Amino acid sequence: MHPNIKLPDPQLDLDFPLMKALASRRSTRRWSDTPVSEQDLSNLLWAACGMTKPGNARTKSKRTAPSACNSQEIRVYVLLKNGVFLYHEEPHELIHMLAEDLREHIGTQKIMKSAPMGLVFVADLSRMTSPYVRNKEAQRFSAWVDTGYISQNVYLYCAAANLGSVVLGLVDRDKLHALMQLQDHEKIVLTQIVGHY
Ligand SMILES: Cc1cc2nc3c(=O)[nH]c(=O)nc-3n(C[C@H](O)[C@H](O)[C@H](O)COP(=O)(O)O)c2cc1C
């Protein structure tokens, strides 16, 4: 059993102009063998949906990405060579879930099989408890749009850090769902590759 990964603190004082990141954001589909460093992993997960304001007895914590009714239903799984990890925003840690290397299942296109690292955006419907997001259609719309914000945050960090990335809708969700041993209320929305190019 692999241990959890306590990520280094995200580098919140990194300086990169937002307008430059927006201008250079691009989908890339070619990667080198250089692994993504733990510092980059920490930074990009924090950018994705890290905690920006702790919660208290009356209000829930806040994240970098907005979510419908602050449901925070999107959970980010990370597929690495040494297994499947789940990102916990607090305390900014990767929880080891499975030992299998599932990276080749990140997308169905042949080129995606060599992904150096994969993110899987999973909507946990049991977190959508507000009356506004309780019906199926609202859940579906909200899960997709909330994933979009997170994915774009990842793209922008990658643009700033000189990393390549591509978000994927061409995913065999049933197969990946089974391989990741997810439950019925957990739905794979999109996946995303990150790597050096
Ligand atoms: C919801 C969604 C699903 C996507 N799925 C795939 C995919 O499965 N495979 C792929 O190569 N690109 C995929 N893309 C990336 C788009 O092809 C890409 O964003 C588009 O061509 C524009 O290029 P750009 O991101 O470099 O601006 C997807 C993008 C979005 C928003």
Side-chain angles (χ1 to χ4, degrees):
M1 188 79 172
H2 290 282
N4 297 340
I5 300 175
K6 177 81 190 106
L7 295 164
D9 288 342
Q11 297 168 300
L12 303 191
D13 53 356
L14 275 189
D15 215 2
F16 192 87
L18 174 64
M19 299 308 257
K20 267 197 181 173
L22 286 164
S24 58
R25 184 213 62 80
R26 195 86 295 147
S27 294
T28 54
R29 298 174 181 82
R30 211 176 288 186
W31 308 279
S32 73
D33 290 338
T34 316
V36 175
S37 69
E38 277 199 3
Q39 187 64 64
D40 268 326
L41 188 54
S42 164
N43 292 352
L44 81 87
L45 287 170
W46 182 84
C49 57
M51 204 177 71
T52 49
K53 194 174 173 201
N56 57 39
R58 276 156 22 109
T59 49
K60 225 160 129 179
S61 61
K62 303 280 188 185
R63 289 176 169 193
T64 55
S67 62
C69 304
N70 198 20
S71 304
Q72 304 183 3
E73 79 282 10
I74 305 302
R75 316 216 64 197
V76 181
Y77 287 77
V78 185
L79 308 189
L80 296 171
K81 190 177 179 187
N82 56 343
V84 177
F85 295 81
L86 173 61
Y87 176 51
H88 273 204
E89 301 79 21
E90 198 191 3
H92 194 60
E93 202 169 69
L94 284 175
I95 308 299
H96 185 256
M97 306 296 284
L98 292 171
E100 281 77 28
D101 179 359
L102 299 183
R103 291 175 299 167
E104 67 176 291
H105 302 283
I106 198 74
T108 54
Q109 292 151 281
K110 202 169 169 206
I111 180 115
M112 307 307 169
K113 307 262 173 247
S114 59
M117 189 189 108
L119 304 176
V120 184
F121 304 120
V122 175
D124 179 347
L125 303 187
S126 72
R127 288 184 163 200
M128 302 180 99
T129 50
S130 157
Y132 300 104
V133 287
R134 235 184 259 152
N135 76 71
K136 270 213 159 84
E137 199 188 28
Q139 285 187 340
R140 189 177 276 253
F141 278 128
S142 301
W144 274 83
V145 78
D146 294 346
T147 297
Y149 296 119
I150 293 174
S151 167
Q152 177 73 348
N153 285 351
V154 173
Y155 263 122
L156 291 178
Y157 177 75
C158 289
N162 250 328
L163 287 164
S165 192
V166 61
V167 70
L168 302 178
L170 295 174
V171 180
D172 188 338
R173 290 179 177 77
D174 290 342
K175 187 169 186 185
L176 190 54
H177 190 276
L179 287 167
M180 289 176 68
Q181 301 179 21
L182 296 173
Q183 299 182 46
D184 264 2
H185 64 274
E186 296 170 314
K187 309 285 182 199
I188 294 172
V189 184
L190 291 168
T191 67
Q192 187 157 359
I193 293 174
V194 175
H196 288 275
Y197 48 83

